[in-house]
């Protein structure tokens, strides 16, 4: 949180609110969002059904088969990721287009891939960093006393936190912004 807030302070300044034009300059924040989506993809399994029987990786996949692609497991696979269980946003810094959200890199599919890739990417890739940047710029956040951060997940069509996050905000900007 501190590193992201320092970056926003430099790019946006404590006298301004976050705007869309700042987002491209918030490299560390964008890396944090990518790392969150790697460890906790909103949709952990994407589904496919081939339009014809195909041979895939040496296996016959008959027409009508339902295939679940386990994005959650791929994005934690030590074959593709160093220290896969560690939260390390730096792995996405300066990674250029190698890890964008379009699903062309099969190790990283938070928005799916191919013809059924998420159609909301243009909104989501702006709104998620924008909301996070605004919340972190405007407030400091802490857990209630005696509460530990619990990141366990409950599987379903969407991946949810088992225990909802409860965090306490304290304003950081000058009073005029909150009037
Ligand atoms: C953080 C936000 C979001 C995430 C992580 C996300 C993720 C995904 C994923 C993983 C898929 C399945 C892709 C596949 O099967 O290859 C999907 C599909 C889809 N998403 Fe999103 N999504 C997000 C936001 C949105 C938004 C904002 C919209 C609409 C404005 C949207 C609309 C859709 C639609 C319509 C599909 C179905 C596409 C199809 O089957 O052809 N999503 N999304």
């Amino acid at each position: 949180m501190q590193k992201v807030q320092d970056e926003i302070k430099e790019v946006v300044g404590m006298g301004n609110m976050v705007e869309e034009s700042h987002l491209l300059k918030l490299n560390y924040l964008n890396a944090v969002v990518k790392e969150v989506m790697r460890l906790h993809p909103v949709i952990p399994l994407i589904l496919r059904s081939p339009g014809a029987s195909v041979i895939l990786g040496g296996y016959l996949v008959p027409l009508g088969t339902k295939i679940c692609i386990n994005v959650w497991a791929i994005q934690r696979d030590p074959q593709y990721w160093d220290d896969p269980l560690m939260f390390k946003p730096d792995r996405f810094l300066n990674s250029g287009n190698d890890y964008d959200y379009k699903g062309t890199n099969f190790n990283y599919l938070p928005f799916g891939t191919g013809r059924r890739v998420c159609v909301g990417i243009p909104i989501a890739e702006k709104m998620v960093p924008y909301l996070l940047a605004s919340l972190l710029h405007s407030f400091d956040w802490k857990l209630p006393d005696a509460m530990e951060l619990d990141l366990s997940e409950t599987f379903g069509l969407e991946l949810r936190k088992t225990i909802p996050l409860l965090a306490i905000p304290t304003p950081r900007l000058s009073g005029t912004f909150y009037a």
Side-chain angles (χ1 to χ4, degrees):
M1 182 171 84
Q2 188 63 59
K3 266 180 102 167
V4 175
Q5 284 178 325
D6 288 347
E7 183 184 63
I8 303 172
K9 186 173 172 186
E10 199 180 310
V11 172
V12 178
M14 296 305 278
N16 301 310
M17 300 298 274
V18 179
E19 292 182 26
E20 190 181 336
S21 58
H22 297 122
L23 295 179
L24 281 177
K25 297 178 201 145
L26 295 171
N27 295 329
Y28 190 71
L29 171 98
N30 285 308
V32 164
V33 172
K34 285 189 177 171
E35 181 69 334
V36 170
M37 291 200 191
R38 180 185 71 82
L39 279 168
H40 309 285
V42 177
I43 300 185
L45 301 174
I46 56 178
L47 305 174
R48 290 293 182 272
S49 184
S53 298
V54 286
I55 306 277
L56 201 61
Y59 295 92
L60 170 67
V61 183
L63 173 68
T65 308
K66 301 277 182 286
I67 303 170
C68 291
I69 300 165
N70 191 338
V71 171
W72 186 90
I74 293 171
Q75 294 184 170
R76 290 170 178 238
D77 190 329
Q79 211 181 322
Y80 309 121
W81 303 94
D82 291 334
D83 280 343
L85 302 184
M86 296 300 292
F87 182 76
K88 284 172 124 181
D90 294 48
R91 67 176 91 236
F92 289 110
L93 283 177
N94 308 317
S95 61
N97 292 336
D98 291 349
Y99 293 100
D100 60 21
Y101 294 126
K102 294 186 189 122
T104 45
N105 182 332
F106 294 153
N107 304 343
Y108 187 65
L109 302 170
F111 288 90
T113 183
R115 277 194 284 180
R116 306 309 296 263
V117 74
C118 175
V119 296
I121 295 174
I123 298 179
E125 72 180 352
K126 292 187 182 67
M127 286 311 290
V128 176
Y130 176 70
L131 289 171
L132 183 62
S134 301
L135 289 172
L136 291 178
H137 188 46
S138 299
F139 302 98
D140 283 315
W141 295 88
K142 70 179 176 80
L143 294 173
D145 291 339
M147 182 179 275
E148 294 212 353
L149 190 58
D150 181 306
L151 292 177
S152 45
E153 303 164 315
T154 299
F155 272 84
L157 273 183
E158 301 159 2
L159 196 64
R160 287 165 185 263
K161 278 179 95 299
T162 307
I163 302 173
L165 178 66
L166 183 58
I168 301 171
T170 313
R172 298 174 76 225
L173 303 179
S174 76
T176 50
F177 285 106
Y178 302 99

